[in-house]
């Protein structure tokens, strides 16, 4: 089974007023957890690597081969999209060359005209090979691979201009941030989301999906525009809590309890359960 691109998947999600989750992987166990969650819920799954995670795992080719091999060895039958998360211009080209089926070119930190020019170049390069493209308008708050966003609202006219490049999905800033949300966070700006939804038909992406209250995520999706929701931090927290509990309960002192496969299994199960819960939040329909 080969990867699919995300064009039809996310277009259908926008039309059907549901979303498909985009889940970051960082190693073998995370990859298996995410794939298992998709298989057990019978839903399509997008698995993605950031630039930093790809570097940690040995490069884009290594990540792609790892996911491919696990799809095969685990007998995964649901559609799988292999995506680059928050890639700069060079990273997007590298991921395309490595065989990813979808890439994000994040040019929000560039002058808008330069972002536009480079987005067009990535779209042309990727579409020539049947690869989907995500772009970003309006800075997403927090930090992602050293790129810091203040959490500004996406400009509607800029969003229309970027959408006209032919991108398959568009990440928008609507008050969302990466990482842990502060106590004084004001919530998503649904008025701006509605303006964006009315202005363009391109499926919209909600980054920083970890930490947004369920009711706000459900509302954003039900409005019929948010079709892709990114989740990473909540997986990290679930992993950390599960592994900490494993040690606090002295499981490592049981026979062979120090075996790293047993230690890591606790975190893997926690990630799988987190992904399955988010799939339910997103109302992703079962394929059978």
């Amino acid at each position: 089974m080969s990867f699919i691109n995300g064009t039809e998947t996310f277009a259908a999600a926008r039309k059907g007023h549901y979303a498909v989750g985009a889940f970051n992987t960082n190693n073998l166990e995370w990859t298996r957890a995410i794939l298992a969650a998709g298989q057990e819920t019978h839903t399509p799954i997008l698995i993605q690597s950031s630039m930093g995670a790809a570097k940690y795992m040995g490069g884009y080719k290594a990540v792609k081969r790892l996911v491919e091999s696990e799809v095969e060895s685990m007998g995964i039958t649901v559609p799988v999209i292999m995506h680059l998360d928050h890639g700069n211009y060079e990273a997007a080209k590298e991921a395309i060359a490595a065989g990813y089926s979808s890439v994000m070119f994040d040019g929000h930190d560039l002058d808008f005209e330069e972002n536009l020019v480079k987005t067009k170049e990535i779209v042309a390069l990727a579409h020539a090979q049947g690869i989907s493209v995500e772009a970003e308008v309006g800075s997403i708050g927090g930090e992602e691979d050293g790129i810091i966003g203040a959490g500004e609202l996406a400009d509607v006219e800029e969003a229309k201009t970027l959408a006209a490049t032919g991108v398959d999905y568009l990440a928008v800033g609507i008050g969302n941030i990466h990482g842990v949300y502060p106590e004084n966070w004001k919530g998503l700006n649904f008025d701006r989301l509605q303006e964006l939804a009315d202005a363009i038909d391109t499926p919209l992406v909600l980054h920083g999906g970890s930490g947004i209250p369920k009711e706000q995520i459900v509302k954003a999706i039900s409005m019929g525009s948010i079709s892709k929701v990114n989740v990473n931090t909540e997986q990290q927290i679930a992993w950390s809590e599960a592994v900490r509990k494993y040690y606090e309960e002295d499981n490592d002192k049981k026979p062979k309890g120090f075996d790293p496969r047993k230690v890591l299994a606790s975190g893997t199960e926690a990630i799988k359960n987190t992904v399955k819960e988010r799939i339910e939040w997103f109302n992703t329909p079962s394929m059978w």
Side-chain angles (χ1 to χ4, degrees), residues 9-74:
T9 298
F10 291 104
R14 172 152 186 172
K15 184 177 180 180
H17 290 209
Y18 62 86
V20 174
F23 302 98
N24 287 65
T25 185
N26 288 284
N27 59 24
L28 169 67
E29 286 76 22
W30 286 54
T31 298
R32 292 181 64 85
I34 295 165
L35 293 174
Q39 188 70 18
E40 291 180 18
T41 56
H42 313 301
T43 57
I45 203 80
L46 183 148
I47 186 167
Q48 58 189 12
S49 68
S50 66
M51 293 188 296
K55 181 178 180 180
Y56 170 76
M57 296 169 70
Y60 300 106
K61 290 182 180 179
V63 176
K64 184 241 186 183
R65 287 195 295 264
L66 169 64
V67 178
E68 276 183 327
S69 66
E70 290 307 316
V71 166
E72 180 179 359
S73 67
M74 294 172 68

Side-chain angles (χ1 to χ4, degrees), residues 272-286:
K272 185 181 74 170
N273 291 337
T274 299
V275 173
K276 290 174 69 174
E277 180 183 57
R278 294 307 177 272
I279 289 171
E280 186 272 327
W281 285 18
F282 305 157
N283 199 32
T284 315
S286 171

Side-chain angles (χ1 to χ4, degrees), residues 61 92-100 129 131:
K61 290 182 180 179
K93 292 196 294 184
E94 287 181 36
I96 289 170
Y100 279 47
Q129 300 182 51
I131 297 168

